């Protein structure tokens, strides 16, 4: 199998992209419309001048034979449109706002008269979307800078939109994404594409971008951003889920700046549910500070913008672990081999129940972050302009583990550069060329806070490693540390947009080179698993995995992604636009520069095959057509019906192959003996079976079909209401399964039975984790929303989603994809694992508002100064819980999973509900509704039938704006998060049985989602 070299991919892209056309990837907008006389007759030959008010940049166009005009690739901001034609009065539309991704429709009617007579047209573009069939939403400047944001993470605002839900069980970590984790219209969080200034901003795990601090700074630097929820046009690729595209602010002809400081202190906060009432509240000291400055370097020609933000925080929190009870520690029958390890566990300090008890402790997590952005825009001539933007962020967080003998040290460093050249060839033909460089460095390690006797190491010369015991917390460092990932990408985009008559054609090519250098340790020092506390006490280990000495995960992966498309937005009639597009996007197979790559085309073979490729390239047939329409039903721009469908491919990038590609023999050996001995495991494959992590050599390319039908109506008060249906079907979705299970017998009723003494499917190896592409997914959602743009001091938005997401397994990368995730119990019956997606949220409602409180005109003097300038803002979020599955902590079915029960479920007791929720933290669900299935069989409880705790939070802010001389403003802010102090519980402990019987802490909750009530105080000085 030969690889596709870069030069061949580039040549193919060049041949398939006539004139190398592409639109500006959602960083700009357009203004278009018809010019008519007072009888609605078309007026060809009218001169239309579109002026950007803030920079005085102008675009001059002439209407065509149908009276149509279109100004494309316009930067967001305020515009003025002047229409002139001999024999008619000139018309001027002033104060016209244009936002990211908006196709503003401005129809102008001229009246007979002298051209030097000018009519001022008040108003704005149609608020209803009249041109695009996609489901999209805007987050504007007012929302970004005025709504209360916990952590000043602007990416949280994606959650304001219909069709977008949180994914609270997705961990924020190095290989999953450090930012706000969301699902868009039923897509997994790692199926979403993030763009900043038109360039790729995803991290290695393809998750949401963010720093080690857990968010994405830039409240003062981002102008606005758009969320594309469903059926976006062919200019967008790299994703089968949604698109989030943000634009950096630019300087203008006026010097403007802001200085700010925000502070928090635990003295103003409330206790969480699990904080010890007899101790002081866990400490919190947080400061965020910085500012920006923008303005002209040369009036009407060159502009600059720069920003800095710093974060310093010491945050205390209460962790709760389940540990052996004092009675257990005092037992006389404990194996002398495991006793020293047992006694490493701290003694419980809470109510003990039999063999276990809780251990809670306050720990402090220090955080530091520095963030900076610089941008320059320059107009060379009326036809040429350039811009350059550089972004830099560095952060570090240290957080103790639940048993605080280790600190998890996480560090991130991000850099990004985007350069752009815009060329107006003719008034209806534009070329935009971009080059972008991105770097996302992420590293994590576990630092020992105490010394350990080297005699307790499983492998001499390594470290104290990990012991996992069903029913209590693990003891040891994270098995995935130390890890670092240094992902760099170089992206070239060449762009043209051309409009002629009723057609607005876009087409183009984007070429991205990925350079992924990393070293991701796995099971360094070893990892023992016991299926019960009793087995631990008696030294009966279930499984062992350990990285063999001499193994390495040091890899330097290289890969290319090439995308091409053609898009035609055809104005079939004045009130009907048809969107037609097709995208072709393919990858090159990944290549490791050191040659450390291997595959296993025959899964029943005795060994891997050294050399590449690690999988056959399935992407060369990825042709994705898309179609839709936007119909102005009444012809007045106030009622619109949209609909469409499209095909969307997910490129196979490093988030799919990286970890497993790093762990393939002969370069990496993972020891996995059939009958391990504790604590002296074998250390070579010659004396033990090897465990494999593989990417299926015959991987298929995942794709989704998206479709929607929505209705929009404009109401008085600059309000638009939206209602509709969005849906998708996913095919060839990536699943993470255990291939090397036992082979079962098929019973008469169709169930499986695993007899005693079953052997693995391939007896040459131990566990074989495999990433395959046989998954399916289903999403159906009803969306409803209302949005009032800021007017008369008031802005409102409400969004509701009633959705249902199902799949054959949400886990694509590993168990850390979701806290409620696990491998399917049997890989060879995919439909056996069908259930609600791990991120399914049935009901989701979000409301936000900004209100500048009016002042009576009769007030004066001190009363007026005291009363004016007050402003309120709020975000209310209410959603239902995510699902989870009651599980077994041991291999009751004798199916030979990787470890423990690995997705095996219990039986349901007759008369019980599949969702036996009791509520409360002590026992959230009725564990007595479940029983052990017969040995050798699977339980009859389906996946994800219990719905976890819901979530509700009200964030509220009050501002006082004080105007001072010279146009300066001082804003004093008080922001409260979860001001009602509602307890939002996390998921309960789902394991109901282990090999010793019922688990004592089954159904117990020890975590919360979000925070207790917190207050933040800030001051901003605008000048």
């Amino acid at each position: 199998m030969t690889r596709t070299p870069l030069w061949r991919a580039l040549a193919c892209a060049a041949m398939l992209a006539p004139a190398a056309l592409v639109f500006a990837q959602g960083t700009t907008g357009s203004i278009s419309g018809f010019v008519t006389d007072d009888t609605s007759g078309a007026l060809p030959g009218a001169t239309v001048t579109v002026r950007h008010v803030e920079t005085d940049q102008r675009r001059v166009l002439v209407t065509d034979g149908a009276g149509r005009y279109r100004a494309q690739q316009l930067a967001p901001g305020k515009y003025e449109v002047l229409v002139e034609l001999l024999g008619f009065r000139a018309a001027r539309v002033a104060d016209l706002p244009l936002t990211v991704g908006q196709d503003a429709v401005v129809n102008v009617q001229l009246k007979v008269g002298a051209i030097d007579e000018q009519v001022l047209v008040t108003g704005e573009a149609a608020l209803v979307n009249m041109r695009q069939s996609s489901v999209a939403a805007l987050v504007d400047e007012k929302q970004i800078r005025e709504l209360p944001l916990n952590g000043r993470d602007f990416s949280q605002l994606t959650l304001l939109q219909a069709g977008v839900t949180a994914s609270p069980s997705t961990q924020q970590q190095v290989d999953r994404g450090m930012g706000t984790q969301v699902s868009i219209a039923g897509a997994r969080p790692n199926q979403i594409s993030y763009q900043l200034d038109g360039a790729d901003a995803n991290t290695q795990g393809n998750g949401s971008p963010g720093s080690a601090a857990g968010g994405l700074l830039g409240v003062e630097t981002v102008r606005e951003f758009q969320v594309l929820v469903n059926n976006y046009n062919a200019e967008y690729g790299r994703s089968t889920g949604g698109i989030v595209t943000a634009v950096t602010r630019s300087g203008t002809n006026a010097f403007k700046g802001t200085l700010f400081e925000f502070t928090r202190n635990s003295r103003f906060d409330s206790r969480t549910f699990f904080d010890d009432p007899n101790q002081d509240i866990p400490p919190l000291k947080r400061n965020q500070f910085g500012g920006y400055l923008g303005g002209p370097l040369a009036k009407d020609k060159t502009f600059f913008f720069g920003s800095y933000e710093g974060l310093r925080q010491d945050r205390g929190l209460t962790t709760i672990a389940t540990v052996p009870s004092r009675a257990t520690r005092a037992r006389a029958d404990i194996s002398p081999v495991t006793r020293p390890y047992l006694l490493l566990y701290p003694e419980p300090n809470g109510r003990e129940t039999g063999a276990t008890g809780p251990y809670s402790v306050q720990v402090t997590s220090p955080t530091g972050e520095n963030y900076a952005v610089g941008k320059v825009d320059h107009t060379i001539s009326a036809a040429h302009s350039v811009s350059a933007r550089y972004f830099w962020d560095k952060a570090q967080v240290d957080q103790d583990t639940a048993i605080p003998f280790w600190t998890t040290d996480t560090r991130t460093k991000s850099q990004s550069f985007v350069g752009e050249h815009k060329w107006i060839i003719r008034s209806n033909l534009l070329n935009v060329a971009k080059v972008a460089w991105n770097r996302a460095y992420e590293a994590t390690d576990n630092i020992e806070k105490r010394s350990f006797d080297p005699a307790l190491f499983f492998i001499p010369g390594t470290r104290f490693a990990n012991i996992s015991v069903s029913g209590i917390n693990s003891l040891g460092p994270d098995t995935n540390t130390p890890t670092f990932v240094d992902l760099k990408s170089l992206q070239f985009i060449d762009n043209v947009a051309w409009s002629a008559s009723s057609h607005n054609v876009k087409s183009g090519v984007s070429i991205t080179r990925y350079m992924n250098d990393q070293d991701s340790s796995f099971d360094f020092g070893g990892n023992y698993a016991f299926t019960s506390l009793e087995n631990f006490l008696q030294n009966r280990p279930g499984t062992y995995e350990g990285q063999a000495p001499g193994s390495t995960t040091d890899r330097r992966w290289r890969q290319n992604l090439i995308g091409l498309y053609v898009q035609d937005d055809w104005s079939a009639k004045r009130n009907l636009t048809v969107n037609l597009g097709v995208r072709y996007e393919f990858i090159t197979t990944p290549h490791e520069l050191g040659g450390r790559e291997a595959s296993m085309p025959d899964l029943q073979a005795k060994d891997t095959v050294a050399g590449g490729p690690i999988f056959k390239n399935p992407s060369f047939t990825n042709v994705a057509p898309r179609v839709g329409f936007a119909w102005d039903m009444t012809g007045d721009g106030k009622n619109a019906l949209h609909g469409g469908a499209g095909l969307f491919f997910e490129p196979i990038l490093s988030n799919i192959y990286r970890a497993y590609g790093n762990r393939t023999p002969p370069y990496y050996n993972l020891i996995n003996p059939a009958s391990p001995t504790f604590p002296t495991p074998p250390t070579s494959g010659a004396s033990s079976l090897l465990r494999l992590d593989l990417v299926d050599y015959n991987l298929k390319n995942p794709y989704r079909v998206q479709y929607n039908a929505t209705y929009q109506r404009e109401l008085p008060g600059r309000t638009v209401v939206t209602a509709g249906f969005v849906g998708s079907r996913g095919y060839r979705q990536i699943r993470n399964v255990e291939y090397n299970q036992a082979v079962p017998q098929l019973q008469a009723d169709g169930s499986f039975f695993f007899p005693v003494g079953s052997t693995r499917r391939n007896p040459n190896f131990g566990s074989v984790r495999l990433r395959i592409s046989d998954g399916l997914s289903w999403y159906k959602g009803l969306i409803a929303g209302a949005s009032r743009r800021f007017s008369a001091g008031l802005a409102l938005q409400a969004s509701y989603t009633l959705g249902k997401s199902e799949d054959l397994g949400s886990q694509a990368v590993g168990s850390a994809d979701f806290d409620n995730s696990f491998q399917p119990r049997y890989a060879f019956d995919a439909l056996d694992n069908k259930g609600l997606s791990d991120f399914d949220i049935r009901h989701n409602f979000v409301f936000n508002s900004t209100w500048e409180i009016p002042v009576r005109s009769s007030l004066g003097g001190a009363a007026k100064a005291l009363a004016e300038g007050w402003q309120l803002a709020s975000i209310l979020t209410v959603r239902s819980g995510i699902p989870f599955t009651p599980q077994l902590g041991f291999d009751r079915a004798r199916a030979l999973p990787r470890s423990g029960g690995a997705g095996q479920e219990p039986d349901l007791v007759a008369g019980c509900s599949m969702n036996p929720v009791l509520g409360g933290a002590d026992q959230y669900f009725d564990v007595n509704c479940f029983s052990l299935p017969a040995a050798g069989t699977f339980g009859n409880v389906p996946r994800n039938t219990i719905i976890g705790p819901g979530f509700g939070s009200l964030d509220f802010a009050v501002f006082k704006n004080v105007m001072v001389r010279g146009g300066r403003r001082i804003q004093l802010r008080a922001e409260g998060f979860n001001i009602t102090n509602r307890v939002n519980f996390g998921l309960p402990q789902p394991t109901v049985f282990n090999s010793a019987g019922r688990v004592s802490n089954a159904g117990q909750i020890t975590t919360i989602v979000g925070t207790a009530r917190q207050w933040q105080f800030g001051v901003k000085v605008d000048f």
Side-chain angles (χ1 to χ4, degrees), residues 155-167:
S155 67
Q156 296 171 20
L157 296 175
T158 57
L159 296 169
L160 302 182
Q161 315 309 323
V164 182
T165 56
S167 183

Side-chain angles (χ1 to χ4, degrees), residues 291-308:
Y292 81 86
L293 179 65
L297 293 173
K299 187 176 180 181
D300 297 341
K301 199 172 185 69
T302 308
F303 310 93
F304 77 94
F305 177 86
S307 176
Y308 166 79

Side-chain angles (χ1 to χ4, degrees), residues 186-188 191 240 650 700-705 728-737 772-779 804-812 824 827 829-839 943-944:
R188 297 169 178 168
Q191 292 177 321
T240 60
E650 177 184 357
K700 304 300 181 184
N701 208 111
Y703 69 93
R704 296 174 83 219
V705 178
S728 68
R729 279 293 309 271
Y731 299 89
R732 301 174 179 173
Q733 301 295 286
I734 301 295
R735 295 200 308 147
N736 186 39
V737 303
I772 57 176
S773 52
D774 66 345
L776 299 171
S777 67
W778 300 261
Y779 179 77
K804 183 179 182 181
S805 181
E806 298 176 288
D807 56 32
L808 305 186
S810 304
Q811 183 186 119
D829 182 5
L831 288 173
D832 176 67
N833 203 50
K834 183 178 180 181
L836 295 176
S837 300
D838 296 341
F839 49 85
R943 168 174 164 254
N944 281 347

Side-chain angles (χ1 to χ4, degrees), residues 4-18:
T4 303
L6 179 59
W7 67 264
R8 190 177 300 170
L10 297 178
C12 178
M15 288 186 292
L16 292 174

Side-chain angles (χ1 to χ4, degrees), residues 709-900:
T710 59
Y711 169 74
Q712 278 190 320
R713 177 174 175 79
E714 181 180 344
L715 300 177
R718 303 185 75 206
T719 300
V720 174
V721 294
T722 303
F725 172 81
V726 296
S728 68
R729 279 293 309 271
Y731 299 89
R732 301 174 179 173
Q733 301 295 286
I734 301 295
R735 295 200 308 147
N736 186 39
V737 303
E738 171 60 56
Y739 169 81
N740 209 21
Q741 294 176 282
V743 179
Q745 299 173 357
L746 186 63
Q747 304 290 86
D749 62 357
S751 63
F752 298 116
F753 176 74
F754 297 84
V756 175
S758 298
T759 59
R760 292 191 180 274
R761 190 171 296 269
N762 183 343
N764 300 296
F765 295 96
S767 167
V768 177
R769 288 199 302 178
L770 183 68
R771 286 184 185 160
I772 57 176
S773 52
D774 66 345
L776 299 171
S777 67
W778 300 261
Y779 179 77
K780 297 178 181 178
L782 295 175
I783 59 173
S787 178
R788 172 192 166 101
R789 290 194 179 182
F790 190 77
S791 177
L794 179 65
L796 304 169
Q797 183 186 15
S799 301
Y800 171 71
T801 304
L802 171 61
K804 183 179 182 181
S805 181
E806 298 176 288
D807 56 32
L808 305 186
S810 304
Q811 183 186 119
V813 177
S815 58
D817 283 5
F818 305 93
D819 291 337
N820 53 336
S821 185
F822 50 82
Q823 282 188 323
R825 63 187 184 183
Y826 188 58
F828 297 91
D829 182 5
L831 288 173
D832 176 67
N833 203 50
K834 183 178 180 181
L836 295 176
S837 300
D838 296 341
F839 49 85
D840 176 70
I841 291 178
R842 190 59 43 86
H843 301 277
N844 191 75
F845 175 78
V846 184
F847 171 82
N848 69 88
S849 65
T850 301
W851 181 35
E852 294 180 353
I853 301 175
V855 178
R856 287 185 300 173
S857 57
S858 60
L859 289 179
K864 180 181 179 182
L866 183 63
E868 69 180 359
W870 289 97
Q871 183 176 335
L872 305 178
S874 65
I875 301 177
L876 171 67
T877 303
V878 180
R879 64 174 184 255
S880 52
I882 56 175
F884 66 95
T885 308
Q887 298 173 38
L888 305 183
F890 72 113
D891 185 15
R892 178 68 170 177
R894 302 190 289 257
L896 301 182
R898 174 194 172 196
S899 63

Side-chain angles (χ1 to χ4, degrees), residues 484-506:
F484 85 84
V485 178
D486 188 5
L487 175 65
K488 299 167 286 292
S489 65
L490 182 61
Q491 188 174 11
F492 298 96
I493 310 170
D494 191 49
N495 312 315
V496 168
W498 172 64
S499 60
S501 184
S502 59
H503 294 273
N504 181 41
V505 179
K506 314 162 193 173

Side-chain angles (χ1 to χ4, degrees), residues 347-572:
E347 292 187 358
N349 54 13
R351 182 169 59 90
E352 301 176 43
T353 55
T356 64
Y359 172 75
S360 64
V361 63
Q362 287 188 9
V363 297
T364 300
S365 175
T367 301
E369 183 172 10
N370 293 292
Y371 166 96
V373 172
K375 185 178 182 182
V376 174
D377 300 273
H378 176 64
T379 300
I380 301 171
S381 67
H384 294 274
S385 62
V386 294
S387 69
R389 187 268 299 156
Y390 177 73
F391 151 84
W392 179 89
D393 181 273
K394 186 176 182 181
Q396 178 178 353
V397 176
D398 292 331
Q399 183 166 327
D400 288 352
T401 56
I403 295 177
F405 298 161
W406 294 267
T407 292
T408 301
D409 175 63
T410 303
R411 305 181 184 212
T412 58
K413 182 178 180 180
S414 300
Q415 295 171 281
S416 172
F417 171 83
V418 178
E420 177 184 284
H421 172 256
K422 185 181 294 183
W423 177 23
I424 303 173
I425 303 170
R426 295 193 301 270
S427 61
N428 67 337
L429 182 63
L430 296 89
N431 185 86
V432 177
K434 288 192 180 191
V435 60
W437 165 265
N438 287 281
R439 182 187 184 190
Y441 175 87
E442 303 165 305
T444 185
D445 196 3
N446 277 134
I447 300 171
E448 292 180 353
K449 297 182 64 178
R450 54 156 293 173
S451 61
F452 292 92
D453 185 350
L456 298 178
F457 293 5
F458 307 147
I459 301 176
T462 58
R463 66 178 180 179
F464 185 90
N466 192 273
I467 300 173
S468 174
V469 181
S470 178
I472 62 175
N473 278 69
S474 297
L475 181 69
D478 187 337
T479 58
N480 291 290
T481 61
T483 288
F484 85 84
V485 178
D486 188 5
L487 175 65
K488 299 167 286 292
S489 65
L490 182 61
Q491 188 174 11
F492 298 96
I493 310 170
D494 191 49
N495 312 315
V496 168
W498 172 64
S499 60
S501 184
S502 59
H503 294 273
N504 181 41
V505 179
K506 314 162 193 173
S507 176
V509 58
S510 171
I511 301 170
T512 306
R513 173 71 166 173
Y514 293 104
M515 296 151 279
N516 198 342
D517 300 331
Q518 58 194 269
D519 194 347
S520 304
S521 296
F522 184 68
D523 282 342
F524 175 63
N527 178 18
Y528 277 97
F530 293 82
T531 58
S532 68
L533 178 56
E534 185 64 25
N535 281 342
F536 177 50
L537 300 178
Q538 302 304 321
N539 191 15
R540 295 191 290 259
T543 59
Y544 169 80
E545 297 175 353
Q547 177 177 312
S551 295
T552 177
T553 55
D554 180 12
R555 301 289 187 273
R556 293 176 294 162
W557 295 105
R558 300 295 183 265
Q559 188 181 22
N560 306 308
L561 173 67
I562 298 94
L564 310 96
Y565 77 89
V566 176
Q567 177 77 30
D568 183 9
D569 297 330
W570 171 40
S571 296

